[in-house]
Amino acid sequence: MGIVNVTPDSFSDGGAHASTETALRHCEQLLKEGADILDIGGESTRPGSPAVPLEAELARVVPVVREAVKLNAPISIDTYKPEVMRAVLDLGADIVNDIWALRQPGAREAVAAHPSCGICLMHMHRDPQTMQAMPMSGDVVPEVLSFLREQAQLLYDLGVDAARITLDPGVGFGKTVAQNFALLARQRELLAAGHPLLLGWSRKSSIGAVTGIEMAGERIVPSVAAAVLAADRGAAVVRVHDVRDTVAALAVWRAMKAQEKSQLQPQGQAPTP
């Protein structure tokens, strides 16, 4: 999943793709580099970021989505506002990726009314303005798992097919550095919820904390390492800024996994497709 920030204030690339023209060029470039999904967002959710008014978010996102749906790739929209969800789904967007896990009034109903859109539910402690000022305490893994299960159940209750749902534990959203890495180390425990996992480690501050790399844009190598580790622990989707580098690293990982699988085949038996 390649990240397309249509914002002037994203933590790592704010302003670089803020116009419709530059955002679309970035979409095309990410697809050339091997992105499977484009994730378009019109509001920064970095710690301490202010909320963006509805009309401003619509003005940023709608023109980009209107053109991006012509690229013949799945389009995800990073938003928590039901009005934005409905607008982009009407334009042909495929996925709603919500940091609030559809907890804003009307959000569940907006996606439930759509017959087939994908839904990503993310765990966030508190809100973007306060989440890192007072992060979670204790063992985050069972708490995150319980929350995600509860939010998925609320969608089941509205008649949403379980196959439409993906879960994101919310790395960096109200967790300490140690808690974020606990989510990575024990990521397989989250598979117990029964849904695919989406992981977003790209250029996060926790990576900066353990590497000493202060500039977000310089955290490419450790971000790629985190994406590969997440994939190895069962992530179905990795959300990244640096698509080309991540795709190349995942190709190496897949080649290694294929060899591991072939070694497990009984001698004389053809490998399973």
Side-chain angles (χ1 to χ4, degrees):
M1 176 180 273
I3 298 170
V4 183
N5 288 317
V6 193
T7 60
D9 58 348
S10 173
F11 80 97
S12 67
D13 57 359
H17 318 301
S19 73
T20 300
E21 182 181 358
T22 56
L24 287 170
R25 283 204 301 265
H26 190 54
C27 288
E28 292 169 350
Q29 182 61 34
L30 293 180
L31 292 175
K32 288 179 183 177
E33 293 178 358
D36 300 297
I37 306 167
L38 297 173
D39 191 49
I40 300 170
E43 177 172 338
S44 174
T45 52
R46 74 189 191 285
S49 59
V52 171
L54 170 63
E55 292 306 318
E57 186 176 348
L58 286 169
R60 294 173 183 177
V61 169
V62 165
V64 178
V65 174
R66 184 177 289 117
E67 298 303 316
V69 296
K70 302 174 185 177
L71 297 175
N72 296 317
I75 302 298
S76 168
I77 304 302
D78 182 355
T79 187
Y80 58 84
K81 298 182 179 73
E83 298 90 348
V84 177
M85 296 175 192
R86 286 192 288 268
V88 296
L89 290 171
D90 286 346
L91 289 172
D94 304 282
I95 302 165
V96 170
N97 180 17
D98 184 3
I99 64 169
W100 279 92
L102 303 177
R103 288 178 290 153
Q104 295 294 323
R108 290 191 196 97
E109 290 75 14
V111 297
H114 192 279
S116 61
C117 73
I119 303 159
C120 183
L121 303 172
M122 196 193 80
H123 177 275
M124 176 173 60
H125 176 65
R126 300 174 70 89
D127 56 56
Q129 291 74 43
T130 62
M131 61 189 180
Q132 291 308 120
M134 191 179 296
M136 297 173 68
S137 59
D139 186 353
V140 296
V141 177
E143 186 169 340
V144 167
L145 177 58
S146 175
F147 171 85
L148 293 174
R149 278 175 159 161
E150 289 172 4
Q151 301 311 310
Q153 182 62 54
L154 291 171
L155 287 178
Y156 305 157
D157 294 344
L158 290 176
V160 174
D161 191 324
R164 294 171 55 185
I165 302 171
T166 298
L167 305 178
D168 181 348
V171 171
F173 283 79
K175 289 95 172 170
T176 65
V177 173
Q179 288 170 339
N180 287 324
F181 281 97
L183 286 169
L184 179 59
R186 297 167 56 192
Q187 184 182 292
R188 289 188 182 92
E189 295 179 34
L190 302 177
L191 294 170
H195 293 281
L197 298 179
L198 183 153
L199 270 295
W201 275 93
S202 188
R203 303 185 183 182
K204 292 285 178 73
S205 60
S206 287
I207 289 176
V210 300
T211 62
I213 302 174
E214 295 185 5
M215 297 295 293
E218 296 177 1
R219 298 172 187 158
I220 298 173
V221 172
S223 294
V224 170
V228 173
L229 289 168
D232 196 55
R233 285 157 175 76
V237 182
V238 287
R239 183 178 181 273
V240 305
H241 297 86
D242 306 293
V243 169
R244 181 183 59 182
D245 301 282
T246 308
V247 167
L250 289 172
V252 174
W253 171 74
R254 287 194 182 96
M256 183 271 294
K257 298 298 286 185
Q259 286 301 311
E260 284 185 341
K261 187 176 181 180
S262 69
Q263 295 300 314
L264 294 175
Q265 294 291 335
Q267 289 189 352
Q269 179 176 325
T272 303

